[in-house]
Structure formats: C-alpha cells, structure tokens
Amino acid sequence: MVNVIGLGYIGLPTALMMAAHGVEVIGTDYNKKLVDTLNAGHTTFKEKGLDELFANAVKAGVRFTTEYQVTDTYIVSVPTPYDKFSKKIDACYVVAAVKSVMEVCPKGATVVIESTISPGTIDKFVRPVIEENGFKIGEDIHLVHAPERIIPGNMVYELLHNNRTIGADNREIGEKVKEYYASFCQGEIVVTDIKTAEMTKVVENTFRAVNIAFANELAKICRHDGMDVYEIIKICNMHPRVNILQPGPGVGGHCISVDPWFLVGDYPALTKVIGESMKTNDGMPDFVLNRIYEIMKEKGLKDITKVGLYGLTYKENVDDIRESPTLQLLESQERHLATGLKVYDPFITDDVVKNQYHDLDKFLNDVDMVVVMVKHNEIKENADKLANKVILDCQNVIDLPEVYHI
Ligand SMILES: NC(=O)c1ccc[n+]([C@@H]2O[C@H](COP(=O)([O-])OP(=O)(O)OC[C@H]3O[C@@H](n4cnc5c(N)ncnc54)[C@H](O)[C@@H]3O)[C@@H](O)[C@H]2O)c1
C-alpha cells in the first residue's frame, strides 16, 4: 500500500492515478479542511479530467486522511519553496513530512521524495532525519527521489504520457518503485541515482526559465528601439535550428519561478546566466507596470482605477495564482504607494485581491484600458468586447486594429 503525503496539485492527481490503476493508496494531508472536502466527494482544484479521475479512484477504493499510515511505501509531495534571502531551497516541509513518516513507518519501508528538490537535498536534509530516528539507510529504510514533470492545465494527460525519472541508492528498490509509477505511466521511466534525479528536475525548469528570459530580454530591446519582437521571433524561428519562446508579463507558479533559484543559492559563483535570467523574468511585472503608465500618458488616461488587469492566475486556463505575474505587479504597485487597478479572472471565484471582479462584462464596463496578463480561452473568444478599449496585450493574443504590446 502506498501512503501519499501531501495532497496538493501534485500529490492528489498522483494518488488518484495510482489508485485508479489498481494500486492500494491512502492519501494523507495535514490540512483537515482539504481532507474533509475530498472525503465529501469533491476535488480541491480545477483541472481538466480531474473530476473523472477522482470518481474512478474513489470507486477503486482510494482513501483520504490526516493520519500517517503504517505501510511499506511513502510518496512525499509537499511544497519546496526557496529562501528569498539566500535563494537556497527551504526543505522544512520535506523534513517535517519525513519526520512524521519516521514516527510510524516499519523497518524495510521505502520513502519516495516526489517534491522538487535541489541536488544534495536528500544527502543534506533527509538522510540525517532518518539516521536520527535510529534507522540504517539501505537496510531499515530505502530512499528514492521521483520528481514530477506535469504541467497544470494538462496534468491528467501528462501523468499518463510523460517520461519520468527515478533516482535510488539501490537499483532494485528503484525498479520496485518504478513498478508503482508504471501502473499508469505509459512514458519511459529512467532509473538513475538520487543526486542525478535531483539535478535533472531542477535543470529542466532552469532550461525553461533561461529560454523565457531570453524572449523577455528581446522584448525589452525591441521596445527600446521600436522593433516588433513578435515579427522578429517569427522570422528567426524559420531558421531550422532556432526556436525562441514568446515574451510575457513574467513567470509564476511553483516551478519555473522557484526551482532555478535553488542552483543560484547553492552555486552563486557558477550561475551567472541563470541568476540574470531569473532577475529578468522577475523584472517583467515592473516592466508591464511601466508600460501601463507610458500608454496611459500617450492616450491621455489619468485615472488608474479605470485600468483593468485581465487574469490573476500564473498561466492560462487554470485556477492556480501562486507567484503569478499579476500578483507580483499588484505588489509592485503597492510598493510604489499606488493602488486602484481593477482585476478580473474567470477562474478565481474567491476574493483574493482588492478591486476584484467576477463578471467579465461588469469588469469591462468599469475600465477604459485592459491589460491582458493571461491568455485564458475566455478572452480570446471575447476579444471583440475589447474593441472600444485601450488594450495592452502582454500575451499577443488579441487580434484587433489598435493593440499595444510589452
Ligand atoms: N504544482 C506544479 O505544477 C508542480 C509540478 C511539478 C513539481 N511540483 C513540485 O511538487 C511539490 C508539491 O507541489 P504542489 O504544487 O503539489 O504543492 P501544494 O502546496 O499544492 O500541495 C502540498 C500539500 O502538502 C500538504 N502538506 C505540507 N506539509 C505536509 C505534511 N508535513 N504532512 C502532510 N501534508 C503536508 C499541504 O497541506 C498541501 O496540501 C513541490 O516540490 C513542487 O515544486 C509542482
């Protein structure tokens, strides 16, 4: 039986997927409200295909609890933020979860860390916890790292089809854990050592962050000298070996905006490109704010309360707002002692920021300028409603005669 610890964006679909494919699974989360919601038959976030997967998993017998279970396999999927000052990984959630596992687990159990962790985290933080509890690693407790690659918005499909990496001290244990994942995963599953697995996950997200930063930097150069960054990228990408990403208003979520910092924190002298890339991406919400003021000046708009940000989530068609560029922009505005921007997102039904709307038409009725921060399908399908507005399209998705870009 597998005890999945942490039932958030990653732990929940993983637990459901295993359960729906014949593995006996109990999910544990210390958030009682979340566990109660699941036990009442509801999922805790919106995601394509999740409700159906949930129904299948419940039918197959998945259970949810706040208690840690006595079993032979644990999958730990708790948050791994970074320390804003040192930039190093903050492993406190992983350490706390492993400590709790140690209180109940029998000898011979395998602890799989699925959370994204920087290279060396298991050596530095996890092994000591296990040894302090009197267990011998490799005999009493086996350690595995199985990072996750799925993207919000397409999680269910990607869980089924992505390739995976499993890092283990002991090949045989790695292969045993691989069987659990192979119950549902149709991709290739590579078994390697723990530190390699730790590094690959962080490197994958760093690759993406650096490439996004390159596109954002091009946008800034082009803005400075009146060039069309989208036309330039389109032409460059016709080169057979060039594939430049699109610029945007910033990077959010708990992966690309976080994980590369782990490397900067641990290897400050060796991560010049990565560090500058992260700063470039983090600077984009401020860049957008400056664009808003520039365009307001050009169009003779004086009232910031007549400017609306479309989109609060960190990417399109999901309800995850963590570290989102819109939140970063609003914070930046408050740091400049200014407030008043209106905000709307079709995926966010709770009030999470000031001046938030829950209806597109009401929102549009109250603003003269719309800043498209997120390319939800809704705004693409309703672009004609923006026709009489001043538009700053940070995502290059609005096809109307007069549109400003970043
Ligand atoms: N969200 C993504 O798109 C994504 C993608 C790939 C990898 N990851 C990584 O997966 C890990 C988990 O991320 P997430 O987005 O699922 O986080 P999350 O915040 O959505 O969920 C984490 C859950 O763990 C629970 N939790 C924390 N400590 C606990 C403990 N000691 N005992 C029991 N429950 C505990 C929390 O209550 C929460 O429900 C992170 O390392 C993240 O970097 C996330």
Side-chain angles (χ1 to χ4, degrees):
M1 189 264 282
V2 175
N3 188 196
V4 176
I5 313 295
L7 298 172
Y9 285 94
I10 295 302
L12 179 65
T14 304
L16 299 179
M17 196 52 100
M18 280 189 182
H21 287 81
V23 178
E24 190 187 351
V25 178
I26 299 190
T28 298
D29 200 296
Y30 63 17
N31 179 343
K32 187 172 177 314
K33 200 170 147 215
L34 181 146
V35 169
D36 287 347
T37 305
L38 294 171
N39 281 330
H42 307 293
T43 47
T44 40
F45 59 97
K46 288 186 206 129
E47 175 65 38
K48 192 173 52 187
L50 189 67
D51 287 345
E52 202 186 336
L53 177 63
F54 182 76
N56 291 340
V58 169
K59 216 185 290 167
V62 70
R63 280 171 290 157
F64 309 105
T65 170
T66 53
E67 303 293 322
Y68 282 64
Q69 304 298 303
V70 179
T71 188
D72 56 0
T73 307
Y74 298 86
I75 295 182
V76 175
S77 187
V78 296
T80 43
Y82 72 100
D83 179 279
K84 293 265 159 55
F85 179 70
S86 71
K87 310 294 187 201
K88 289 174 191 276
I89 189 169
D90 177 354
C92 68
Y93 293 95
V94 171
V95 167
V98 173
K99 273 187 184 159
S100 302
V101 168
M102 290 303 108
E103 284 167 19
V104 296
C105 73
K107 279 192 177 178
T110 299
V111 179
V112 181
I113 307 294
E114 194 170 284
S115 301
T116 302
I117 47 179
S118 54
T121 299
I122 287 199
D123 287 347
K124 251 182 275 171
F125 299 104
V126 178
R127 291 186 200 279
V129 172
I130 294 172
E131 282 157 358
E132 276 159 21
N133 279 272
F135 291 113
K136 198 153 191 258
I137 297 168
E139 286 179 23
D140 302 330
I141 298 289
H142 302 289
L143 267 174
V144 171
H145 176 43
E148 181 51 72
R149 288 175 168 149
I150 55 176
I151 189 165
N154 203 23
M155 284 179 159
V156 175
Y157 177 88
E158 289 208 353
L159 268 173
L160 290 169
H161 297 281
N162 282 356
N163 302 322
R164 307 190 66 102
T165 315
I166 289 183
D169 287 337
N170 172 316
R171 179 102 210 167
E172 225 173 276
I173 298 293
E175 294 292 337
K176 225 175 98 192
V177 170
K178 180 176 166 176
E179 274 173 36
Y180 281 125
Y181 286 97
S183 68
F184 63 85
C185 170
Q186 297 164 33
E188 189 179 335
I189 305 178
V190 175
V191 178
T192 183
D193 63 89
I194 286 179
K195 202 162 182 179
T196 302
E198 291 175 321
M199 184 63 170
T200 53
K201 172 66 197 174
V202 176
V203 167
E204 288 158 13
N205 282 341
T206 303
F207 173 85
R208 304 212 48 224
V210 170
N211 280 280
I212 293 167
F214 180 66
N216 286 336
E217 190 157 287
L218 293 182
K220 287 182 174 176
I221 296 170
C222 291
R223 173 61 43 216
H224 182 72
D225 240 353
M227 295 179 272
D228 180 346
V229 70
Y230 299 105
E231 175 78 352
I232 288 163
I233 290 175
K234 190 177 87 191
I235 295 170
C236 291
N237 283 349
M238 293 169 82
H239 182 293
R241 284 167 297 284
V242 173
N243 187 13
I244 304 169
L245 302 180
Q246 297 295 303
V251 177
H254 266 200
C255 291
I256 301 175
S257 69
V258 173
D259 306 344
W261 283 123
F262 298 164
L263 293 179
V264 178
D266 284 343
Y267 309 96
L270 304 173
T271 47
K272 300 300 176 210
V273 171
I274 300 169
E276 286 306 316
S277 298
M278 295 303 282
K279 284 187 211 155
T280 301
N281 292 339
D282 285 357
M284 289 313 287
D286 255 341
F287 185 76
V288 174
L289 194 53
N290 283 338
R291 277 297 283 148
I292 294 172
Y293 288 128
E294 261 173 31
I295 295 163
M296 286 178 72
K297 208 165 153 198
E298 188 182 321
K299 300 299 282 185
L301 302 176
K302 296 210 162 54
D303 185 358
I304 192 76
T305 68
K306 301 290 268 180
V307 178
L309 304 178
Y310 178 89
L312 245 176
T313 61
Y314 83 87
K315 75 183 286 280
E316 65 276 12
N317 305 322
V318 300
D319 63 1
D320 189 347
I321 61 169
R322 297 178 298 176
E323 318 280 333
S324 87
T326 301
L327 290 179
Q328 293 176 45
L329 190 152
L330 292 170
E331 271 172 32
S332 173
Q333 203 206 14
E334 277 191 21
R335 274 200 305 276
H336 293 99
L337 304 178
T339 50
L341 283 163
K342 294 189 162 50
V343 185
Y344 162 76
D345 191 304
F347 285 84
I348 306 304
T349 45
D350 292 344
D351 277 322
V352 292
V353 292
K354 285 183 212 146
N355 309 315
Q356 189 184 336
Y357 285 68
H358 298 285
D359 180 275
L360 178 64
D361 293 328
K362 277 193 195 138
F363 167 72
L364 292 178
N365 199 39
D366 284 0
V367 298
D368 296 329
M369 176 172 171
V370 177
V371 183
V372 178
M373 296 291 287
V374 186
K375 53 180 177 201
H376 291 312
N377 288 346
E378 183 203 52
I379 196 67
K380 293 195 252 171
E381 287 156 9
N382 287 282
D384 55 321
K385 292 188 174 173
L386 304 182
N388 61 350
K389 306 289 174 196
V390 175
I391 305 162
L392 168 55
D393 179 5
C394 303
Q395 298 284 355
N396 196 26
V397 288
I398 305 298
D399 188 14
L400 286 172
E402 206 197 6
V403 177
Y404 290 89
H405 294 105
I406 50 176

